[in-house]
Amino acid sequence: MIRPSLAPDYRSLEFPVPRVPSAEPTSQPARPRLSRRRLVARRAVLLFAGAYVVATVGFAVALDVRLPKLRYPEYGQRAAALLQLQAQHPDRPLVVAVGSSRTQMGLDPGAMGFADRPGSPLVYNCGLVGALPVHHPLGYGRLRNAGVRPAAVVCEIFPALLGVEDATATLYADDGAGLTAAELVQLAPDMRGPRTALAWARSRVGAWGAFRREFHRQQLPRWSDPAAGATYERMWVPDGRGYRPMGDRVTDADRERGTDKALGAYVHLCRNLQVAPAAERAYRELVAACRADGVPVAFVLTPEAPLFHRCYTPTARAELTRFVRLLEVELGAPVFDQWGGWDEADFFDGHHLLSGGATKYSRRLADRHLRPWLATIFPHGDGR
């Protein structure tokens, strides 16, 4: 009997056969093509975005280089007037006064009594609201870069501000838009925080929006709001010599409120006066820059009311005396003392002169100090 084989019959087994991919390409769904209208729209958006970026960069550069009146109205108005005066009176020595609002609202060149004729000094007030000592050399360099060529410079000494170390404490505290990129870098060592730099960056990234209102104020002041246009001209457009008067009179109540506010801001600085290294360095830089250009420079202690004077301790007065001697002896620059000898009625708030006080101060400064000093600088000129 033949026994069946127990070996498996391999012929009966089925092995899976791997499938070889077909050489023929599989069909893919066709990618929808953009319509011509959508292509044109996309191109228009990209072109607009590129044009906006180019225009914004160009405008930001123009603000730094060509548009000072729009970027920094107070300075721009004065720089334009200075250049015009310089061109109209090439035969008169130009004397530029640098300082803060004390100078801007207190020094009236028209009240100084200088004759309007060749050889007679032509004084211009270039004070800027909120300017600190660290801003004075920057302001002088700004004028020089604009093409202003002064024959002499007079710079204020505002005693309380000598102790301020932060370059952004007043003038550029919240708005760095008025600075150029180079000026921002120049002030950077004396800045105490990034606020001003960030404000400057925002103003340049969104330059069209940041300066739109100022453009309307300058170019179309009465088109949108006649009252606002008149206020703008009264507040920020100086007379032909840079002077912006504080006002003719003030009530006793308003003077008391103004003085209380001013003392609240400055009394601590007056009592604890200590000249900051940044302030001393700034005055040294101004003297060095002027002398490098062959421009004589003098300083003036600006007027303060008796109430302000009582804030200074003996130690603070000694520190101020030390600083004045540094300017006179070490740096060889004259200091004109107009600090005391004033009445409360001369001021709006104890340190900003009213129009009557400004007239007295300007004439006194010219007669007692500027005429003798300028006579030594321009011996062949007419100082009358």
Side-chain angles (χ1 to χ4, degrees):
M1 179 177 175
I2 302 175
R3 298 179 61 183
S5 175
L6 298 177
D9 185 359
Y10 290 101
R11 291 173 299 178
S12 64
L13 298 178
E14 294 184 2
F15 295 95
V17 179
R19 294 186 177 183
V20 179
S22 173
E24 298 180 1
T26 57
S27 60
Q28 297 287 340
R31 189 174 182 179
R33 300 180 61 185
L34 292 175
S35 66
R36 181 176 180 81
R37 181 176 297 177
R38 291 182 65 185
L39 283 173
V40 171
R42 178 179 290 183
R43 187 175 302 166
V45 170
L46 292 175
L47 286 174
F48 176 80
Y52 179 80
V53 170
V54 171
T56 299
V57 172
F59 185 35
V61 172
L63 285 168
D64 279 18
V65 179
R66 304 290 299 176
L67 301 173
K69 190 183 292 187
L70 184 62
R71 182 188 77 244
Y72 190 173
E74 270 190 282
Y75 158 72
Q77 299 279 2
R78 286 167 171 76
L82 266 169
L83 290 171
Q84 185 176 3
L85 278 175
Q86 188 172 258
Q88 291 174 345
H89 303 281
D91 53 357
R92 297 183 63 182
L94 181 62
V95 181
V96 176
V98 178
S100 67
S101 57
R102 279 195 181 185
T103 294
Q104 184 184 105
M105 302 173 190
L107 183 65
D108 182 3
M112 287 185 156
F114 290 111
D116 185 12
R117 58 190 178 198
S120 181
L122 186 64
V123 181
Y124 190 87
N125 183 337
C126 206
L128 299 173
V129 172
L132 296 168
V134 293
H135 300 139
H136 299 334
L138 181 147
Y140 172 76
R142 182 186 281 151
L143 290 173
R144 290 285 291 164
N145 291 336
V148 177
R149 298 293 180 265
V153 169
V154 178
C155 179
E156 76 168 25
I157 300 175
F158 185 156
L161 294 184
L162 293 173
V164 179
E165 298 183 83
D166 186 358
T168 63
T170 55
L171 187 57
Y172 307 110
D174 298 307
D175 184 12
L179 294 167
T180 66
E183 291 167 354
L184 188 69
V185 172
Q186 184 176 341
L187 287 178
D190 297 314
M191 289 183 178
R192 300 295 183 269
R195 182 171 57 178
T196 298
L198 291 175
W200 179 89
R202 285 193 296 269
S203 73
R204 294 310 190 263
V205 172
W208 298 105
F211 293 94
R212 174 178 57 83
R213 180 176 297 179
E214 187 60 41
F215 176 82
H216 287 166
R217 286 174 177 171
Q218 293 185 21
Q219 303 302 323
L220 305 167
R222 303 185 185 280
W223 174 67
S224 57
D225 187 351
T231 300
Y232 177 86
E233 292 181 3
R234 185 173 66 254
M235 288 296 294
W236 299 119
V237 180
D239 69 0
R241 298 289 187 85
Y243 170 56
R244 185 165 70 86
M246 185 73 184
D248 295 327
R249 62 182 64 88
V250 64
T251 65
D252 292 339
D254 286 340
R255 177 181 289 111
E256 184 177 353
R257 281 192 293 269
T259 303
D260 288 344
K261 183 178 179 180
L263 288 175
Y266 294 114
V267 65
H268 177 76
L269 293 170
C270 294
R271 288 175 178 170
N272 302 281
L273 178 60
Q274 185 69 40
V275 178
E280 183 174 324
R281 184 174 68 250
Y283 281 97
R284 290 180 181 274
E285 289 177 0
L286 178 61
V287 172
C290 288
R291 287 188 175 155
D293 295 332
V295 177
V297 58
F299 298 93
V300 55
L301 271 167
T302 50
E304 290 182 356
L307 200 58
F308 252 78
H309 272 265
R310 290 197 286 271
C311 295
Y312 295 89
T313 63
T315 302
R317 291 175 181 271
E319 174 69 358
L320 181 59
T321 300
R322 181 199 67 81
F323 181 68
V324 168
R325 286 187 58 79
L326 180 146
L327 296 175
E328 291 181 324
V329 178
E330 183 176 341
L331 300 184
V335 177
F336 307 142
D337 188 356
Q338 289 288 300
W339 195 33
W342 306 95
D343 299 323
E344 298 288 348
D346 292 323
F347 300 87
F348 168 74
D349 56 0
H351 73 120
H352 287 113
L353 289 162
L354 293 170
S355 298
T359 298
K360 289 166 55 178
Y361 164 57
S362 303
R363 193 60 187 249
R364 188 181 299 180
L365 177 65
D367 291 344
R368 295 184 182 180
H369 302 289
L370 284 185
R371 292 180 195 278
W373 180 58
L374 294 175
T376 64
I377 298 172
F378 316 117
H380 303 294
D382 182 358
R384 291 174 293 175

